[in-house]
Amino acid sequence: MDSLQKRNNALNANPMVNTVATDNHITVRGSDWYFAVTAVMVVSTFVFMGLSFRKPRSQRLFHYITAAITLVAAIAYFSMGANLGWTAIRVEFERSDPKVAGLMRQIFYVRYIDWFVTTPLLLLDLLLTCGLPTPTIVYTILINEIMIITGLVGALVKSSYKWGYYVFGCVAFFFVAYTVVFEGRAHARALGNDILKTYTICGVWTIGLWFLYPIAWGVSEGGNVIASDSEAVFYGILDLLAKPVFGALLIWGHRNIDLARLGLHVNEPTETGMPGGEKRSANAHSNTNTTAANDTTATTV
């Protein structure tokens, strides 16, 4: 343990004292794991941004959204690895297992800040892919935010009322899952087999993983069954699969899909100095001169 602490000094720099002390918290191993996930998220962000340069600027929307997801996750995991962004909450269920002993459990609220930002972006990636109407996308994202907020509030409640928030969150999740699985696929089917295939793979992947998050919550923040290090591994694996791996599947699926097929129209930059801007400006100038000459001829006649 001493050798581990020499390599990772985060827990010494940011000790286990917030408003109160807690014995039910991550160890150096948990901190190391969080930093490892941070590294994967950072590398994924650079990869997604790098891949965007293989497409015209008007076709990079999904690269930008996906890179933003992993960037926000990287910041959150760095915070958790540094033992920041948490508070101590009294557990509802006291356990005899030494790994989860103690009255106070460490709750990382920064995790929920991450999800509050990244899960709407994940849904945006999916629901734009299938061409859902904007009002449906906005409403689905709103329900998703209810899911995240109720999860956070439930984690911060020490009494059995936390499970009431858990139920609200699960109901919200089922609404989101219905929209993705049924409404989304119906719209994707109308856009072509390649879009349907990409959407189905990414949608099933996402919803399948999201079904595991309530289980992780139930055995960690909710039921105090597993240790904080185990919680870190459980959530970390889920987030790695739900963000970098999801992003790779999505970007690969979009490699030959034009945004116009999805009802998305992004203009290429036309200002002088931008890539291709001088050529377009010259063409525009030429067209203006031609129009002016035609007008003069018409007037002369």
Side-chain angles (χ1 to χ4, degrees):
M1 181 63 71
D2 290 339
S3 61
L4 288 174
Q5 289 178 336
K6 289 178 181 178
R7 294 200 303 268
N8 182 348
N9 195 46
L11 302 188
N12 293 327
N14 306 300
M16 295 300 171
V17 177
N18 202 329
T19 52
V20 294
T22 174
D23 292 324
N24 193 341
H25 53 70
I26 62 169
T27 67
V28 177
R29 292 184 179 83
S31 177
D32 286 340
W33 166 252
Y34 279 134
F35 280 135
V37 176
T38 301
V40 175
M41 296 295 183
V42 169
V43 171
S44 299
T45 301
F46 280 111
V47 170
F48 295 143
M49 288 302 297
L51 290 173
S52 73
F53 289 102
R54 302 179 63 182
K55 289 225 173 205
R57 288 179 180 271
S58 62
Q59 300 295 316
R60 297 177 184 176
L61 176 62
F62 289 96
H63 293 78
Y64 292 158
I65 294 175
T66 307
I69 291 170
T70 52
L71 176 59
V72 173
I75 297 170
Y77 271 90
F78 173 80
S79 300
M80 290 186 283
N83 202 40
L84 299 170
W86 65 274
T87 189
I89 299 297
R90 185 181 178 89
V91 298
E92 180 187 1
F93 303 103
E94 297 179 31
R95 306 295 183 183
S96 57
D97 186 344
K99 294 182 179 179
V100 288
L103 298 178
M104 311 297 291
R105 184 182 179 97
Q106 182 180 34
I107 303 295
F108 280 106
Y109 57 78
V110 72
R111 189 195 314 278
Y112 294 89
I113 297 175
D114 166 9
W115 292 343
F116 189 84
V117 177
T118 57
T119 55
L121 294 177
L122 281 162
L123 286 175
L124 200 60
D125 262 345
L126 278 174
L127 302 185
L128 288 178
T129 296
C130 69
L132 271 184
T134 300
T136 305
I137 294 176
V138 172
Y139 189 65
T140 304
I141 289 176
L142 174 62
I143 298 299
N144 171 81
E145 299 291 42
I146 292 174
M147 177 180 74
I148 302 303
I149 292 172
T150 52
L152 171 60
V153 175
L156 298 178
V157 170
K158 65 181 181 180
S159 69
S160 60
Y161 281 80
K162 67 166 63 241
W163 299 102
Y165 291 100
Y166 179 81
V167 172
F168 281 123
C170 288
V171 171
F173 165 67
F174 283 121
F175 176 88
V176 172
Y178 174 85
T179 302
V180 171
V181 173
F182 294 100
E183 293 190 36
R185 289 192 73 251
H187 281 76
R189 187 176 293 108
L191 298 176
N193 289 332
D194 55 341
I195 294 175
L196 175 62
K197 180 180 178 181
T198 297
Y199 178 80
T200 300
I201 291 173
C202 295
V204 170
W205 181 266
T206 298
I207 296 303
L209 289 171
W210 282 17
F211 265 106
L212 299 177
Y213 280 90
I215 298 174
W217 191 97
V219 298
S220 53
E221 296 105 319
N224 190 38
V225 175
I226 62 175
S228 293
D229 283 351
S230 299
E231 171 190 329
V233 173
F234 200 161
Y235 279 131
I237 291 174
L238 289 178
D239 278 351
L240 287 172
L241 295 174
K243 293 170 182 175
V245 176
F246 162 86
L249 292 172
L250 184 87
I251 296 303
W252 174 256
H254 273 275
R255 66 193 183 281
N256 296 319
I257 298 175
D258 192 282
L259 293 187
R261 293 178 59 195
L262 308 177
L264 302 171
H265 302 280
V266 181
N267 295 326
E268 287 284 358
T270 57
E271 296 81 9
T272 301
M274 298 296 288
E278 294 182 2
K279 181 178 179 180
R280 282 188 289 272
S281 296
N283 291 337
H285 182 67
S286 175
N287 292 337
T288 301
N289 289 341
T290 302
T291 303
N294 291 338
D295 291 342
T296 301
T297 302
T299 303
T300 303
V301 173

